[in-house]
């Protein structure tokens, strides 16, 4: 672990107009996690000790997301958008408090890896005052170009200000930069706005450092790491790349993904070894699946904990708060929400279990519904260990079914059922001998109306 202290400054004041969305750009999600949270998570993994997030004037939601992801994150507001160096200086108080390394990172680059950030920091440890990430995009239009002499980075020229000659340079600025803490502010405060856009360019830090006889470094990375998201199309491309990474990591950790390209993982999905995921399964945020569990096709999981050797699906939906203990079976067309299914419980077909406990080894029949909502409030259903709920029963909450009790099929249960009792709550069956043949006789005589009662 790096012993140098590190402050990261995340620039997230952009409007994101090209997303055509009411949602601030950095709050759009990739693999169920916001772009900003991806960046902050990478920072934490890279051993960053303090983080400052620079937001625009009306971006309270962005600030809230930053605080929710990294509780210690400091928020600074850039009230006017006057360029990337200006944005960094909005966080000057954080820089003044001192750090060995300072990383500047854009809030819209979700694919950045902690190792890359560590590489930038290593350049600082090797005495660079400024280090930048270079990459070679297929189309360099719009990017700053890295002007080098031999191995040495001299300056960065923005596309808008570059000469024809400079525009032929293939090595472009990825945007992320690192500064030695001791000299960062003196460099940043020397940056002017004498350029086409009249903006304070962070990229001018390189030339300023050179003028001050400090050393600079450029490190090359692949394009995907530094790709910024500006459009919905780029958001979708980032999702594709992120899914490839997550699937690869899940396979390497010992999960079996039968058709990886059809399985969508959340950034925080945890699959233990010997988990089998059949084709076409979607994991939303907050899912953990323990060893030996099988998730069958067309299942959607979110905020759920799946225990050892559990089987879920096909066509099941686990919603937040679903907790399945070991050897539970959840079958087709079953929805579970905010409910614990204790070890060995079975809910095999067509059921809704919400706000409930299903005791160990209980069997919940097809078509069972926990009626948890009365139109105003939610109520709980408690099903005891080894209980048997007959098919097509409605359990009207709040209600308790005792251990080992039976509920007859088609019951509407509104009162508690004691342990080991049988509860039947349905209309009595009426049998009228010969009724059907009398109906057929009437029909043959041309009568249209069926004899309802006799
Ligand atoms: C920047 C780099 C360019 C690099 C490219 C890589 C500069 C001057 N140029 O250009 O060399 O090739 O990224 O993608 O840095 N922001 C603020 N406040 C501002 C301006 C920007 O917070 O006043 C934030 C934006 O929200 C964004 C980031 O800084 O997250 C970069 O700004 P952007 O306008 O996208 O810079 P580029 O023109 O792409
Ligand atoms: Mg940009």
């Amino acid at each position: 672990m790096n012993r140098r202290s590190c402050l990261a400054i995340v620039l997230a004041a952009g409007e994101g107009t090209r997303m055509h969305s009411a949602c601030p750009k950095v709050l759009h999600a990739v693999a169920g996690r916001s772009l900003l949270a991806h960046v902050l998570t990478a920072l934490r993994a890279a051993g960053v000790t303090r983080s400052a997030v620079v937001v625009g004037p009306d971006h309270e939601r962005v600030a809230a997301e930053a605080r929710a992801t990294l509780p210690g994150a400091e928020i600074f507001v850039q009230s006017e958008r006057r360029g990337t160096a200006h944005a960094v200086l909005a966080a000057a108080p954080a820089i003044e408090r001192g750090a060995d390394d300072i990383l500047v990172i854009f809030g819209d680059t979700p694919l950045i890896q902690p190792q890359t950030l560590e590489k930038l920091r290593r350049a600082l440890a090797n005495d660079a005052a400024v280090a930048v990430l270079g990459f070679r995009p297929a189309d360099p239009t719009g990017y700053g170009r890295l002007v080098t002499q031999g191995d040495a980075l001299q300056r960065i020229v923005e596309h808008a200000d570059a000469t024809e000659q400079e525009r032929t340079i293939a090595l472009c600025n990825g945007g992320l930069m690192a500064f030695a803490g001791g000299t960062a502010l003196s460099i940043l405060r020397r940056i002017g706005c004498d350029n086409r856009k009249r903006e304070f360019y962070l990229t001018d830090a390189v030339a300023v450092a050179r003028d001050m006889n400090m050393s600079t470094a450029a490190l090359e990375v692949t394009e995907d790491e530094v790709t910024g998201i500006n459009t919905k199309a780029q958001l979708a491309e980032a999702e594709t790349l992120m899914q490839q990474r997550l699937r690869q990591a899940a396979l390497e950790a010992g999960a079996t993904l039968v058709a990886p390209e059809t399985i969508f993982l959340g950034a925080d999905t945890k699959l233990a070894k010997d988990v089998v995921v059949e084709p076409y399964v979607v994991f939303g945020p907050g899912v953990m699946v323990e060893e030996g569990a099988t998730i069958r096709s067309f299942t959607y999981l979110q905020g759920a904990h799946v225990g050892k050797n559990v089987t879920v699906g096909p066509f099941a939906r686990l919603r937040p708060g679903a907790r399945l203990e070991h050897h539970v079976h959840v079958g087709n067309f079953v929805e579970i929400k905010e409910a614990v299914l204790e070890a060995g419980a079975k809910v095999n077909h067509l059921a809704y279990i919400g706000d409930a406990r299903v005791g160990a080894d209980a069997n919940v029949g097809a078509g069972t519904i926990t009626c948890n909502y009365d139109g105003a409030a939610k109520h709980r259903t408690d099903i005891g260990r080894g209980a048997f709920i007959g098919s097509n029963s409605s359990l009207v909450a709040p209600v308790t079914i005792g251990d080992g009790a039976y509920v007859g099929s088609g019951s509407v249960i509104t009162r508690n059922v004691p342990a080991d009792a049988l509860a039947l709550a349905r209309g009595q069956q009426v049998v009228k001998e010969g009724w059907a043949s009398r109906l057929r006789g009437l029909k043959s005589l041309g009568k249209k109306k069926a004899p309802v009662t006799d």
Side-chain angles (χ1 to χ4, degrees):
M1 186 49 108
N2 199 327
R3 284 167 175 278
R4 295 162 62 96
S5 63
C6 180
L7 164 69
I9 300 173
V10 183
L11 304 191
E15 292 295 327
T17 31
R18 280 178 287 164
M19 296 295 268
H20 300 295
S21 168
C23 175
K25 177 165 81 171
V26 295
L27 297 188
H28 284 80
V30 166
R33 177 183 277 171
S34 71
L35 304 181
L36 181 61
H38 277 287
V39 170
L40 295 177
T41 307
L43 291 176
R44 187 162 44 196
V48 165
T49 31
R50 279 195 294 137
S51 297
V53 181
V54 179
V55 302
D58 297 320
H59 282 174
E60 193 39 51
R61 280 172 67 198
V62 176
E65 172 76 352
R67 287 195 200 97
T69 315
L70 263 192
E74 281 184 88
I75 309 296
F76 294 93
V77 178
Q78 184 196 20
S79 33
E80 252 185 303
R81 246 180 140 257
R82 300 193 60 196
T84 41
H86 182 260
V88 173
L89 281 172
I95 304 176
E96 275 158 6
R97 251 168 270 141
D100 296 318
D101 300 343
I102 293 170
L103 285 176
V104 178
I105 181 166
F106 299 161
D108 63 358
T109 53
L111 295 161
I112 189 72
Q113 310 242 42
Q115 310 83 281
T116 307
L117 298 172
E118 282 161 12
K119 254 200 249 172
L120 268 179
R121 294 184 62 194
R122 266 202 297 280
L124 299 181
N126 291 332
D127 275 346
V130 181
V132 307
L133 286 186
F135 73 115
R136 294 173 197 271
D139 177 10
T141 310
Y143 291 111
R145 308 297 205 283
L146 303 191
V147 180
T148 49
Q149 232 170 48
D151 273 350
L153 175 65
Q154 298 297 327
R155 60 195 171 88
I156 301 176
V157 59
E158 287 304 297
H159 183 89
D161 302 289
T163 62
E164 279 308 311
Q165 179 71 29
E166 286 165 338
R167 284 185 185 177
T168 64
I169 298 173
L171 191 59
C172 292
N173 175 26
L176 280 87
M177 292 176 81
F179 293 85
T183 47
L185 274 177
S186 63
I187 294 174
L188 290 166
R189 289 191 168 131
R190 278 187 174 77
I191 293 175
C193 61
D194 184 16
N195 53 51
R196 279 259 168 107
K197 294 193 185 163
R198 313 297 307 161
E199 280 190 2
F200 294 87
Y201 289 160
L202 185 63
T203 43
D204 283 348
V206 174
V208 171
R210 281 276 158 187
D211 279 350
M212 294 167 81
N213 285 322
M214 295 177 190
S215 71
T216 57
L219 308 163
E220 198 170 327
V221 294
T222 57
E223 181 165 6
D224 54 351
E225 286 225 35
V226 288
T227 301
I229 310 294
N230 296 309
T231 63
K232 292 279 170 71
Q234 288 168 341
L235 186 69
E237 280 165 30
E239 182 76 48
T240 303
L241 287 166
M242 184 69 79
Q243 289 300 334
Q244 281 166 1
R245 272 192 202 167
L246 293 169
R247 291 168 190 146
Q248 196 56 39
L251 291 167
E252 279 164 18
T256 299
L257 309 182
V258 175
E261 66 285 1
T262 67
I263 294 163
F264 286 79
L265 298 163
D268 61 353
T269 301
K270 291 189 181 66
L271 305 181
K273 66 177 176 189
D274 292 324
V275 165
V276 175
V277 185
E278 291 186 357
Y280 302 103
V281 171
V282 177
F283 293 87
V287 179
M288 152 107 202
V289 184
E290 292 195 57
E291 263 177 70
T294 299
I295 313 295
R296 306 192 61 192
S297 293
F298 305 105
T299 292
Y300 192 108
L301 309 89
Q302 186 178 357
H305 186 115
V306 177
K308 286 188 180 150
N309 302 308
V310 163
T311 304
V312 181
F315 297 99
R317 177 163 184 215
L318 300 188
R319 291 173 53 200
R323 196 152 67 75
L324 317 187
E325 293 183 357
H326 65 90
H327 292 95
V328 157
H329 281 213
V330 167
N332 38 238
F333 307 107
V334 171
E335 174 178 341
I336 313 273
K337 185 219 67 161
E338 196 58 53
V340 179
L341 274 58
E342 292 178 355
K346 291 187 175 55
V347 187
N348 273 331
H349 344 256
L350 298 154
Y352 171 62
I353 305 295
D355 301 310
R357 175 185 78 101
V358 179
D361 299 318
N363 192 320
V364 175
T368 297
I369 306 285
T370 53
C371 308
N372 59 329
Y373 186 51
D374 59 12
K378 300 277 171 62
H379 303 282
R380 296 196 62 82
T381 300
D382 192 84
I383 299 174
R385 154 188 291 269
F388 183 97
I389 312 298
S391 297
N392 207 31
S393 292
S394 301
L395 308 177
V396 182
V399 72
T400 296
I401 313 295
D403 289 352
Y406 264 64
V407 169
S409 299
S411 290
V412 177
I413 300 293
T414 53
R415 283 177 290 134
N416 293 346
V417 179
D420 295 321
L422 166 68
L424 278 175
R426 60 189 181 209
Q428 287 303 303
Q429 179 165 320
V430 175
V431 174
K432 299 194 181 277
E433 297 283 352
W435 184 94
S437 54
R438 282 205 302 286
L439 170 69
R440 285 183 210 107
L442 286 171
K443 266 167 96 177
S444 69
L445 294 173
K447 296 251 189 233
K448 291 238 163 64
K449 208 161 178 294
V452 179
T453 51
D454 55 15

